[in-house]
Amino acid sequence: MKSKKLQSRRDFIAKTGGALAGSMFIHPVAEALSLFDRPGEKMKLALVGTGVRGLSMWGRDVVRAYADQIEFVGLADKNEGRLQYGKSFMGVSCPTFLDTDQMLREAKPDVLIVTTMDSTHHEFIVKGLMAGMNVISEKPMTTDEKKMQAILDAEKKSGKKLIVTFNYRYSPHRQKLFELLRAGEIGTITSVDFHWYLDTSHGADYFRRWHGQREYSGTLLVHKSTHHFDLLNWWLDSDPEEVYAYGQLEFYGKNGPFRHTTCRGCPHASNCDFYWDITKSAHLTKLYVDNEKYDGYHRDGCVFREEIDIYDKMAVQIRYKNKVQVSYSLTTYSPYEGYRIAFNGTKGRLEAWIKESQPWEEKDADEIHLTKNFGEREIITIPHGGGGHGGGDTRLKDKLFKDPNAADPWRQSAGSRDGAMSCLIGIAARHSIEQAKPIRIQDLTDIPLKESGRGV
């Protein structure tokens, strides 16, 4: 079988442009963001949750890149110290609030950005919607089906919109997969193999933080895998129907040979491969260490703490309404970071092995392999996008703050239904592990499932 490289994006667009032309549309999310439109005025933003993600991705980065389009009118957090440091870090002069209700009443933002602990997302999303504003929420939308239903009910009652920030959709590599699948390059999709690997740096970090307790994160099947499940829903253009899963905690938590409360002051530091000195980061020290006195939260918790009760290895089988079968896994203690994915279809196979760059290797592009059942194999080279998450972060924020009315030909904007369907797979997987049986998505909420043509 011959192999050839497709170096030119122009060559590919020539093949797929006609197939994608019918998908050009304006997402309702864009309409929601433009409802406040007042000529000559900026979009008024308020942020609740001043952790690393909120202050960087949705705080300082937005202030620096979109100063002509937005202004922050309020910041809220339950931790007084983090709140004051966050205001300085972002470089804003807006009021700060320990009470989010007060912020919504007094600051009157057009859009509320929610970047709090996952288990509290629903609380602030509902508050924002019912206060008459559109809401942007970090993923995951929420952590269980009851909280999810409360969000959906509030959105319907308020008439406002929720936007869920799935930045992975916006990276060039994942967009290319969407284009190839929509163009029918492998015929009808029949199954998918999707395996994600977190390394002993990034993966371990989830177990240092609040994410290590299901009460707060819903397990990594919700917090982390919601990214991956959303990609599947988007790529496959169908809703998940049934989920069966396995999961165990076998590496971190109680499985460790020793433990302490935090890395700081740990008597086992010299023998622990996971020892991490948070004080080497001035930013994290000022944000977390200096403000532990306000809420007792330790950012450098021991990865072997007894209270850790999430899974560190997971395997999920998903059946979609359009009969596509998916085998998914997540491992949190790999020597490298990345993922393997393969789409099997009636006319061929589309696959990629994406590894994050390691210290010993340099990568400026990713490859997708397209193999026809009775034809050539094409190697499609995708240059890395600039910015975080392979360029996805910048492209997402451009859509939200620079040009929300721009056409969305690849349906990358995500609303409450998208957020719900990605969470529901993780929630169903968690229930499946706990109950040792398959879980039907339809039994969790009142969202009607669609076989295909999900659109928005």
Side-chain angles (χ1 to χ4, degrees):
M1 181 176 290
K2 296 181 180 180
S3 174
K4 67 177 182 178
K5 287 196 174 184
L6 298 183
Q7 298 287 354
S8 171
R9 175 176 173 80
R10 183 178 301 171
D11 293 341
F12 175 75
I13 292 298
K15 296 172 62 180
T16 62
L20 289 171
S23 68
M24 298 289 286
F25 69 103
I26 300 297
H27 197 286
V29 164
E31 180 183 357
L33 283 175
S34 65
L35 289 178
F36 75 91
D37 187 28
R38 297 180 294 270
E41 295 188 30
K42 297 179 179 181
M43 181 189 298
K44 295 180 180 179
L45 303 178
L47 173 74
V48 55
T50 56
V52 166
R53 185 70 170 169
L55 292 181
S56 298
M57 170 76 172
W58 299 108
R60 187 172 68 174
D61 292 356
V62 171
V63 170
R64 290 179 173 180
Y66 307 98
D68 293 337
Q69 290 84 24
I70 66 93
E71 65 173 322
F72 275 91
V73 296
L75 302 178
D77 198 291
K78 65 180 182 179
N79 186 300
E80 180 180 352
R82 281 204 304 270
L83 189 57
Q84 295 308 316
Y85 172 71
K87 178 178 178 178
S88 173
F89 178 80
M90 285 175 57
V92 294
S93 58
C94 63
T96 59
F97 302 85
L98 293 173
D99 183 338
T100 302
D101 291 326
Q102 181 185 4
M103 180 178 72
L104 299 182
R105 287 194 308 270
E106 298 181 6
K108 295 182 173 58
D110 298 306
V111 177
L112 174 66
I113 303 175
V114 177
T115 59
T116 60
M117 188 181 295
D118 296 351
S119 58
T120 64
H121 280 184
H122 72 293
E123 176 184 348
F124 300 106
I125 292 171
V126 170
K127 284 179 183 293
L129 292 171
M130 298 310 294
M133 59 202 62
N134 299 304
V135 178
I136 295 173
S137 177
E138 258 294 341
K139 62 81 193 167
M141 190 168 88
T142 189
T143 55
D144 68 43
E145 63 270 32
K146 292 181 180 179
K147 295 175 180 178
M148 180 181 299
Q149 193 64 57
I151 293 171
L152 297 174
D153 291 344
E155 187 181 45
K156 182 177 180 180
K157 184 176 181 180
S158 68
K160 293 298 180 178
K161 294 292 183 181
L162 170 64
I163 302 160
V164 184
T165 57
F166 287 123
N167 46 6
Y168 276 4
R169 291 188 180 196
Y170 288 81
S171 67
H173 163 258
R174 297 171 185 110
Q175 178 182 305
K176 181 71 73 173
L177 287 170
F178 180 91
E179 293 173 358
L180 288 162
L181 294 169
R182 293 286 77 73
E185 290 288 345
I186 62 170
T188 301
I189 307 167
T190 56
S191 65
V192 184
D193 307 310
F194 194 11
H195 306 291
W196 203 287
Y197 312 97
L198 294 171
D199 64 21
T200 49
S201 175
H202 186 199
D205 209 37
Y206 289 111
F207 295 83
R208 292 190 180 97
R209 300 177 279 170
W210 53 262
H211 306 73
Q213 294 176 256
R214 68 177 61 192
E215 174 186 359
Y216 305 127
S217 67
T219 76
L220 291 180
L221 285 165
V222 176
H223 174 81
K224 181 62 178 177
S225 297
T226 189
H227 262 320
H228 315 151
F229 297 147
D230 176 69
L231 286 173
L232 285 167
N233 296 342
W234 177 58
W235 282 325
L236 298 178
D237 195 32
S238 183
D239 287 336
E241 183 176 45
E242 187 173 274
V243 174
Y244 191 86
Y246 296 95
Q248 284 187 309
L249 176 65
E250 66 174 16
F251 188 85
Y252 299 106
K254 61 185 178 182
N255 300 289
F258 40 69
R259 57 194 44 80
H260 191 59
T261 53
T262 61
C263 283
R264 281 168 294 149
C266 179
H268 311 290
S270 61
N271 299 317
C272 183
D273 291 332
F274 292 95
Y275 173 73
W276 175 62
D277 186 358
I278 190 174
T279 63
K280 289 185 176 180
S281 167
H283 174 49
L284 294 181
T285 299
K286 293 176 181 178
L287 181 59
Y288 292 111
V289 177
D290 292 350
N291 298 307
E292 291 173 348
K293 58 188 176 184
Y294 295 104
D295 59 9
Y297 175 61
H298 300 293
R299 173 61 179 80
D300 62 337
C302 177
V303 299
F304 300 128
R305 302 188 314 280
E306 290 280 358
E307 59 264 34
I308 290 174
D309 62 355
I310 65 171
Y311 315 113
D312 54 25
K313 74 169 186 181
M314 294 138 273
V316 184
Q317 295 292 312
I318 311 165
R319 186 181 72 213
Y320 278 79
K321 284 285 289 184
N322 63 2
K323 306 309 176 187
V324 174
Q325 297 177 177
V326 175
S327 294
Y328 168 87
S329 69
L330 176 64
T331 304
T332 61
Y333 42 86
S334 297
Y336 48 75
E337 182 127 346
Y339 65 94
R340 291 180 183 269
I341 190 162
F343 298 86
N344 303 299
T346 55
K347 294 182 180 179
R349 180 176 168 95
L350 188 64
E351 56 193 315
W353 175 205
I354 307 300
K355 291 176 66 176
E356 301 292 337
S357 294
Q358 303 295 332
W360 59 84
E361 63 182 351
E362 291 290 335
K363 290 179 61 179
D364 58 6
D366 292 314
E367 291 183 348
I368 298 173
H369 292 197
L370 172 61
T371 308
K372 297 299 181 69
N373 282 349
F374 303 100
E376 296 181 330
R377 185 178 75 157
E378 300 176 357
I379 300 176
I380 305 168
T381 303
I382 313 297
H384 286 174
H389 293 90
D393 287 355
T394 299
R395 297 173 78 193
L396 167 62
K397 287 183 289 189
D398 281 351
K399 171 64 174 170
L400 292 175
F401 304 123
K402 183 175 289 185
D403 192 5
N405 290 309
D408 191 2
W410 299 287
R411 301 182 179 183
Q412 288 159 308
S413 298
S416 60
R417 193 178 194 282
D418 304 291
M421 297 313 297
S422 67
C423 280
L424 283 172
I425 299 177
I427 292 167
R430 189 178 68 224
H431 287 320
S432 177
I433 295 168
E434 294 168 350
Q435 301 173 33
K437 69 176 186 180
I439 301 295
R440 296 175 66 245
I441 296 293
Q442 193 66 76
D443 293 338
L444 299 178
T445 70
D446 62 6
I447 302 175
L449 303 184
K450 298 180 181 180
E451 181 175 335
S452 61
R454 295 172 62 251
V456 297

